[in-house]
Amino acid sequence: MSLLDSASHRRLNQLTGEWVLVSPHRTSRPWQGQIEKVRDAGRPRYDPSCYLCPGNERANGARNPAYSGVFAFDNDFAALTPQASALDFVQDGLFVAEEEPGRCRVLCFSPRHDLTLPRMSVEEIVPVVDAWREETTRFGTDDMINYVQIFENRGAAMGASNPHPHCQIWATHSIPNEPVKESARQGAYLERNGACLLCDYLALELSRAERIICRNDHFVALVPFWAIWPFETMVLPTRHVGAFDDLTDEETRSLADILKRLTIRYDNLFETDFPYSMGFHQRPTDGARHSGWHFHAHFYPPLLRSASVRKFMVGFEMLGEPQRDITPETAAARLREVSDIHYLDRD
Ligand code: H2U
Ligand code: ZN
């Protein structure tokens, strides 16, 4: 047995330069903590009170069209607005602030209120990926926008305000903290090694096969060596793709396929609507080349042992550094073992 399976150790996240503490020996400790209610997966195809269903009125009075595919609109309660404020950049001693213009969009994956990515067909997910490509391309030509963050909060446990399948797109003037860290690490790796960090990382992971969950012709889903959340995963293209707007039509279909396969495995793990926050990291749209950037998705799910027992990032995690008990290798094996046929679609 390798030391990494049994002894406490720290692992370096090569993408951020931050460490995670791994304590495999703690997995047997007793649990008397919170039990969450398992949400009923049965939902109507159309919910007259849903602000995202076709034809319904939204909270600010606008009415959704009777859409039949994907549907994107400007967030009615946008955290960022395109107008530059009068703030610009201010420094008053240690008090430093700057303006942050940007745009927020909401994208409905389907007119069906009861669907989720794992229960949509690949043919239905392809237009979602196409919409992500289009939004990225469009924002990429806007001088004000330097980064496009696409993310999905799924499930009430992750703060999703509505079960209707949707994601958000926040396009910002600044490059946010997480992509800034990944940009610096990928850029430095390219400079030092003349190669892409994630191309090299993926080649290593494929040769070891310990943390791979599933793959198709163009994408791989794996539990990263440095994962923080119990069932955290990454989805990476095997080709050196920098952003959504570099994807070919074939890769678009493959991305739709791997997202479906991975989220089915997630749902099957505890036979529940598996909550997560997921999102894509891609090359900034600030005009620089960023040739070290390798496009990828991160999935951060909170569940730990069952549909009702989640991991809390508290205590040492908040004040010291992230910590996990179950190893990334064990998590990958669990996700690999479950079926890729959704439990609700089985006879
Ligand atoms: P979340 O489920 O991830 O919170 O996303 C829903 C978003 O939808 C949220 O950002 C927006 C909220 O501001 N929204 C509208 O734009 N219009 C509405 O009528 C309600 C919610
Ligand atoms: Zn709905």
Side-chain angles (χ1 to χ4, degrees):
M1 187 188 268
S2 137
L3 217 54
L4 296 189
D5 294 335
S6 54
S8 288
H9 61 276
R10 292 167 95 204
R11 297 188 185 191
L12 176 64
N13 181 334
Q14 294 290 358
L15 265 180
T16 61
E18 291 168 353
W19 293 82
V20 50
L21 182 63
V22 187
S23 322
H25 60 285
R26 281 178 94 226
T27 42
S28 56
R29 82 193 203 289
W31 172 264
Q32 294 184 317
Q34 175 184 334
I35 300 291
E36 284 172 38
K37 279 217 184 72
V38 182
R39 282 164 58 95
D40 179 12
R43 283 192 294 273
R45 290 166 73 104
Y46 167 75
D47 176 352
S49 67
C50 168
Y51 55 75
L52 298 179
C53 273
N56 288 3
E57 191 173 305
R58 297 209 299 274
N60 71 345
R63 189 168 288 280
N64 298 326
Y67 66 96
S68 56
V70 297
F71 167 55
F73 62 94
D74 286 336
N75 195 314
D76 302 311
F77 307 96
L80 299 147
T81 53
Q83 303 79 24
S85 63
L87 184 64
D88 199 18
F89 180 88
V90 286
Q91 177 151 23
D92 176 8
L94 293 176
F95 304 115
V96 180
E98 63 180 7
E99 68 175 357
E100 179 64 345
R103 297 272 305 273
C104 295
R105 310 257 297 155
V106 179
L107 173 74
C108 298
F109 297 163
S110 163
R112 288 264 305 267
H113 185 79
D114 58 334
L115 289 183
T116 53
L117 282 179
R119 309 221 57 219
M120 287 166 70
S121 66
V122 173
E123 286 63 39
E124 287 168 327
I125 302 174
V126 167
V128 177
V129 182
D130 276 333
W132 292 335
R133 288 169 73 185
E134 278 158 31
E135 294 280 335
T136 301
T137 306
R138 195 165 46 81
F139 280 129
T141 61
D142 184 337
D143 285 346
M144 179 190 73
I145 301 300
N146 293 314
Y147 194 76
V148 182
Q149 183 59 58
I150 297 171
F151 62 95
E152 179 194 8
N153 296 320
R154 183 175 165 210
M158 286 314 273
S161 59
N162 185 320
H164 194 111
H166 68 282
C167 73
Q168 296 194 45
I169 301 158
W170 291 27
T172 53
H173 180 66
S174 303
I175 305 174
N177 295 342
E178 293 305 312
V180 159
K181 285 185 249 174
E182 295 190 0
S183 224
R185 297 281 299 185
Q186 292 179 103
Y189 188 91
L190 178 67
E191 191 137 304
R192 229 182 12 251
N193 303 288
C196 160
L197 169 65
L198 288 181
C199 284
D200 283 1
Y201 172 67
L202 185 55
L204 263 180
E205 287 288 20
L206 286 170
S207 71
R208 302 278 168 92
E210 270 183 304
R211 284 171 292 271
I212 306 291
I213 300 162
C214 56
R215 63 169 300 177
N216 61 23
D217 287 348
H218 305 101
F219 284 88
V220 177
L222 54 78
V223 178
F225 177 75
W226 51 75
I228 290 173
W229 293 91
F231 294 98
E232 175 178 334
T233 59
M234 272 176 84
V235 173
L236 301 107
T238 47
R239 187 171 73 88
H240 183 67
V241 168
F244 267 113
D245 39 7
D246 292 346
L247 291 179
T248 63
D249 289 344
E250 267 199 315
E251 286 166 337
T252 295
R253 203 193 141 76
S254 282
L255 179 55
D257 172 75
I258 200 114
L259 292 176
K260 179 175 170 69
R261 285 161 185 264
L262 177 62
T263 53
I264 284 178
R265 285 173 185 276
Y266 271 152
D267 278 14
N268 283 346
L269 196 60
F270 302 129
E271 301 216 337
T272 192
D273 250 7
F274 200 80
Y276 56 71
S277 227
M278 72 80 71
F280 297 93
H281 277 157
Q282 54 180 340
R283 176 183 62 223
T285 59
D286 57 0
R289 281 185 63 225
H290 297 289
S291 29
W293 254 98
H294 194 114
F295 171 75
H296 57 274
H298 294 281
F299 280 79
Y300 300 129
L303 295 186
L304 175 60
R305 305 162 185 234
S306 70
S308 59
V309 178
R310 62 166 290 163
K311 165 154 183 82
F312 288 98
M313 284 288 179
V314 294
F316 190 78
E317 281 104 336
M318 278 183 129
L319 296 150
E321 68 189 25
Q323 183 271 345
R324 62 179 296 137
D325 297 346
I326 163 181
T327 63
E329 296 70 42
T330 304
R334 300 267 311 270
L335 286 166
R336 217 171 21 238
E337 279 156 17
V338 291
S339 165
D340 63 2
I341 298 169
H342 199 278
Y343 69 95
L344 292 174
D345 295 329
R346 271 183 239 142
D347 296 322

